[in-house]
RNA sequence: UCCUCGAUAGCUCAACGGUAGAGCAUCCGGCUGUUAACCGGAGGGUUGCUGGUUCGAAUCCAGCUCGGGGAGCCA
């Protein structure tokens, strides 16, 4: 007999009702009496459990009624309407086989656990309601990201995880090496001789695929990356991880406005896709994780994102009747408290802040006509802060070289990046979306460590 | 990295200088429709680690480790 999934039972109940079926899954809890009992079974295919009813007619009734949480079983029986109010149907077991027993020290209870504790058992937490919901939403969202871009003609580019460009400027990097630390090769000056290293040069884990993907942008016009990214920053916050996933679209013949249009369309698409394709999980988040979730997401889908320039943002903040810990002044970067005020108090929806002073942004961002600002954009979202950072890129070779000189960057290191401007360079723009921050925003989860399967943070690489 | 709060049974917490406790979980028993099942009983602890103060430390002090909240860096 074929194995039926719990998802099929819930989605196409009529097809299975009053029929004999087989289901495989894991025991979430057992409630047993003298001559009968109930098992909450989760088979991984669906958020909700299947209630299995069993009685003394089972040859192994005693054994089954003593099953502990976490055990894996195979059940054969008839799907019948349930007299209970909490489930529409249940499986009346004719036979239950123990596939893999569990033990009494199984750490997960039916009671609620703290997220802090569950992080210490990251190998078991996907068996809980919350993490089952988080990681199914994560999977569905990843698919939606691809679908969004592929449907619009974007080409998916795999940029390297190991990079030789050591100055991408997006943060501290993890070094990749095969050198023997106990016997490092040295040059005449006594410095480590990386020409003896595996790649014959210094290499690191990527902090961004942007520079590389720009080259493919000049071939395919519309491209995107979606892959792991590494930052060796000693950041200890609920929004930072040393290893995370980033989505970076890049469009040729596009300016900052096109860039924001794409970002806004994408955010709305992803929300709608997840609401439609993970309704049980999203309901759970709205009921148990963040009661304002649906209101917030609906608000995002329905409203037009705010769009203001950095200069306007400074004016708003200076006029605000709010005591800020950090002073507001043109030329200084916006502090978290400023960003929160803008997106949570002034706009109460996502807002793009554009055209920042060139001094506080990356070298590759396009200089505006005012010569003091660049065509940058940050998307600030209530609750999670900066979720997208992007810009129109400097396509004018002379301007780009001048900016690199001002910042003391070595042009030779970027020869291929500069070549792109030489050979048919066009206007182009793109952005980076932190995938985990997106998942946090979609689920209401407030710690990035709870939306990555095995989070890497300073001092933490268990599993 | 900085500021701040915390770490006690498997989990969530209490005890705040004088013999370490509860609920849940676990184990045993009971129960013919449960659903955070219910009822009765039992076991379970080098109080995060290292050192110090004290007649006596879970409690006071210092350092370290890990965690929460805030900040910086950013996505």
């Amino acid at each position: 007999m074929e194995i039926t999934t719990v998802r099929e039972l819930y989605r196409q109940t009529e097809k299975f009702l009053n029929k004999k079926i087989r289901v495989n899954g894991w025991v979430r809890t057992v409630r047993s009496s003298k001559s009968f009992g109930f098992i909450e079974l989760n088979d991984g295919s669906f958020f909700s459990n299947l209630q299995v009813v069993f009685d003394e007619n089972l040859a192994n009734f005693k054994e089954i009624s003593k099953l502990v949480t976490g055990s894996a079983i195979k059940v054969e029986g008839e799907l019948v309407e349930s007299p209970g109010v909490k489930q529409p149907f249940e499986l009346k077991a004719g036979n239950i086989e123990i596939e893999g027993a569990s033990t009494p020290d199984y750490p997960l209870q039916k009671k609620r656990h703290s997220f802090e504790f569950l992080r210490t058992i990251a190998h078991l937490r996907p068996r809980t309601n919350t993490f089952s919901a988080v990681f199914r939403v994560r999977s569905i969202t990843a698919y939606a990201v691809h679908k969004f871009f592929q449907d619009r003609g974007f080409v998916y580019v795999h940029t390297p995880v190991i990079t030789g460009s050591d100055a991408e400027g997006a943060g501290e990097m993890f070094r990749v090496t095969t050198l023997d630390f106990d016997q490092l090769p040295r040059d005449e000056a006594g410095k480590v001789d990386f020409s003896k290293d595996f790649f014959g040069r210094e290499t690191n884990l990527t902090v961004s695929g942007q520079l590389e993907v720009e080259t493919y942008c000049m071939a395919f016009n519309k491209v995107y990356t979606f892959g792991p990214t590494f930052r060796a920053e000693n950041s200890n916050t609920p929004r930072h991880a040393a290893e995370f996933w980033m989505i970076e679209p890049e469009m040729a013949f596009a300016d900052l406005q096109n860039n924001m249009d794409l970002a806004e369309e994408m955010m709305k698409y992803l929300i709608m896709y997840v609401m439609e394709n993970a309704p049980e999980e999203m309901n759970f988040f709205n009921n148990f994780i963040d009661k304002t979730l649906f209101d917030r997401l609906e608000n995002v889908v329905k409203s037009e994102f705010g769009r203001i320039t950095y200069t306007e943002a400074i004016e708003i903040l200076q006029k605000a009747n709010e005591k800020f810990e950090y002073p507001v002044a043109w030329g200084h970067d916006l502090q978290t408290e400023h960003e929160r005020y803008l997106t949570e108090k002034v706009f109460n929806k996502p807002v793009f802040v554009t055209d920042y002073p060139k001094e506080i942004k990356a070298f590759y961002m396009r200089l505006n006509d005012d010569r003091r600002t660049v065509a940058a954009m940050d998307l600030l979202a209530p609750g999670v802060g900066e979720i997208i950072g992007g810009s129109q890129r400097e396509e004018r070779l002379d301007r780009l070289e001048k900016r690199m000189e001002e910042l003391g960057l070595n042009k030779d290191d970027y020869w291929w990046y500069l070549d792109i401007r030489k050979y048919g360079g066009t206007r182009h723009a793109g952005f980076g979306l932190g995938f985990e921050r997106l998942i946090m925003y979609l689920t209401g989860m407030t710690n990035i460590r709870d939306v990555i399967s095995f989070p890497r943070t300073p001092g933490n690489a268990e599993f």
Side-chain angles (χ1 to χ4, degrees):
Chain A
M1 201 189 304
E2 257 182 64
I3 306 301
T4 309
T5 64
V6 174
R7 173 171 295 271
E8 292 174 294
L9 298 182
Y10 274 91
R11 289 283 189 258
Q12 311 164 54
T13 310
E14 329 73 51
K15 194 174 151 192
F16 299 99
L17 205 57
N18 302 316
K19 303 250 169 65
K20 281 202 90 177
I21 57 168
R22 281 186 66 172
V23 176
N24 297 341
W26 291 269
V27 172
R28 285 283 177 87
T29 171
V30 179
R31 296 177 292 271
S32 63
S33 298
K34 190 181 181 183
S35 56
F36 69 97
F38 303 90
I39 297 172
E40 295 284 334
L41 191 72
N42 192 284
D43 77 339
S45 70
F46 199 62
F47 180 72
S48 304
N49 300 322
L50 171 66
Q51 174 162 285
V52 177
V53 192
F54 63 97
D55 60 31
E56 324 182 78
N57 293 326
L58 290 185
N60 55 355
F61 171 76
K62 254 241 143 90
E63 211 182 336
I64 297 302
S65 62
K66 286 187 175 176
L67 272 178
V68 289
T69 309
S71 307
I73 56 172
K74 305 199 283 190
V75 188
E76 206 178 309
E78 189 186 351
L79 191 74
V80 297
E81 283 186 36
S82 175
V85 289
K86 299 220 171 169
Q87 61 280 322
F89 50 79
E90 62 193 20
L91 179 56
K92 190 151 175 30
N95 186 50
I96 299 179
E97 195 180 323
I98 298 172
E99 168 90 8
S102 185
T103 55
D105 60 349
Y106 184 69
L108 291 172
Q109 304 170 15
K110 18 195 161 177
K111 214 177 75 175
R112 199 188 166 283
H113 287 292
S114 67
F115 292 145
E116 291 82 0
F117 169 67
L118 291 171
R119 276 174 218 148
T120 68
I121 48 167
H123 59 309
L124 298 174
R125 66 179 183 169
R127 304 183 187 196
T128 65
N129 285 336
T130 301
F131 289 89
S132 161
V134 165
F135 288 99
R136 196 182 310 277
V137 163
R138 185 175 168 126
S139 166
I140 287 170
T141 307
Y143 176 74
V145 165
H146 284 297
K147 185 162 168 50
F148 175 82
F149 286 116
Q150 298 276 342
D151 284 354
R152 284 158 186 77
F154 283 71
V155 171
Y156 179 31
V157 180
H158 294 120
T159 51
V161 169
I162 298 172
T163 176
S165 60
D166 60 348
E168 289 168 3
E172 293 292 315
M173 304 176 91
F174 289 100
R175 172 158 294 157
V176 175
T177 180
T178 56
L179 291 179
D180 180 354
F181 288 172
D182 294 322
Q183 291 178 25
L184 290 172
R186 305 274 175 180
D187 59 18
E188 299 81 41
K191 294 237 177 185
V192 175
D193 183 4
F194 285 101
S195 71
K196 300 280 198 310
D197 204 347
F198 188 88
F199 295 106
R201 59 181 298 162
E202 279 190 69
T203 50
N204 295 287
L205 293 181
T206 183
V207 292
S208 165
Q210 185 204 312
L211 301 192
E212 282 95 347
V213 90
E214 277 187 49
T215 68
Y216 274 70
C217 179
M218 290 298 128
F220 290 101
N221 188 319
K222 291 195 283 187
V223 294
Y224 70 106
T225 72
F226 184 5
T229 310
F230 306 87
R231 304 270 167 96
E233 297 288 350
N234 192 6
S235 297
N236 293 287
T237 81
R239 310 193 314 282
H240 290 87
E243 176 182 312
F244 61 99
W245 284 59
M246 192 153 61
I247 297 147
E248 297 170 293
E250 193 78 29
M251 297 179 289
F253 304 99
D255 61 16
L256 194 66
Q257 295 303 317
N258 304 132
N259 205 19
M260 286 189 284
D261 291 343
L262 180 74
E264 181 166 347
E265 192 190 352
M266 178 194 69
M267 289 297 290
K268 290 176 176 174
Y269 176 90
L270 295 176
I271 290 171
M272 287 190 290
Y273 190 91
V274 169
M275 292 290 285
E276 199 180 314
N277 289 279
E280 287 79 13
E281 285 81 0
M282 294 305 284
N283 255 318
F284 172 81
F285 291 126
N286 191 56
N287 288 332
F288 294 102
I289 303 294
D290 176 3
K291 294 216 183 285
T292 69
L293 181 66
F294 282 177
D295 290 342
R296 205 181 71 216
L297 294 181
E298 266 168 43
N299 182 34
V300 171
V301 170
K302 282 181 187 158
S303 62
E304 268 185 42
F305 291 8
R307 296 189 184 194
I308 54 171
T309 65
Y310 167 87
T311 304
E312 288 164 348
I314 294 295
E315 282 167 13
I316 291 171
L317 291 167
Q318 282 173 337
K319 284 182 196 150
N321 188 20
E322 185 96 358
K323 277 188 210 134
F324 293 117
E325 193 183 336
Y326 292 87
V328 178
W330 202 97
H332 290 100
D333 208 352
L334 297 177
Q335 300 293 317
T336 296
E337 57 173 348
H338 305 144
E339 294 181 344
R340 292 189 61 153
Y341 180 81
L342 288 171
T343 186
E344 290 171 14
K345 298 268 174 63
V346 179
F347 285 89
N348 192 30
K349 63 181 179 184
V351 54
F352 290 106
V353 180
T354 63
D355 304 296
Y356 285 79
K358 65 177 177 183
E359 287 78 15
I360 59 175
K361 286 294 179 184
F363 75 93
Y364 50 73
M365 296 189 178
R366 191 181 194 277
L367 189 65
N368 286 325
D369 291 341
D370 64 12
R371 302 280 174 122
R372 1 188 267 155
T373 62
V374 289
M377 63 108 163
D378 283 356
L379 179 64
L380 311 178
V384 294
E386 188 181 335
I387 195 167
I388 285 176
S391 70
Q392 186 174 339
R393 321 305 189 187
E394 184 58 83
E395 83 281 12
R396 298 162 296 192
L397 184 59
D398 54 330
R399 290 277 167 76
L400 185 57
E401 287 182 325
K402 185 159 169 280
R403 189 68 187 132
M404 291 175 72
E405 277 162 27
E406 285 170 9
L407 293 169
L409 296 174
N410 183 0
K411 280 188 283 183
D412 294 341
D413 291 342
Y414 296 87
W415 65 273
W416 51 270
Y417 188 68
L418 294 168
D419 261 9
I420 295 307
R421 275 71 185 167
K422 249 170 82 182
Y423 305 128
T426 74
R427 273 181 307 143
H428 62 294
F431 60 81
L433 165 72
F435 186 57
E436 284 77 14
R437 290 192 182 171
L438 171 68
I439 302 301
M440 290 166 73
Y441 194 65
L442 291 174
T443 59
M445 297 293 286
T446 54
N447 197 310
I448 196 167
R449 297 171 177 93
D450 299 326
V451 298
I452 307 180
S453 56
F454 298 102
R456 274 75 177 95
T457 51
N460 239 314
E462 188 71 49
F463 303 103

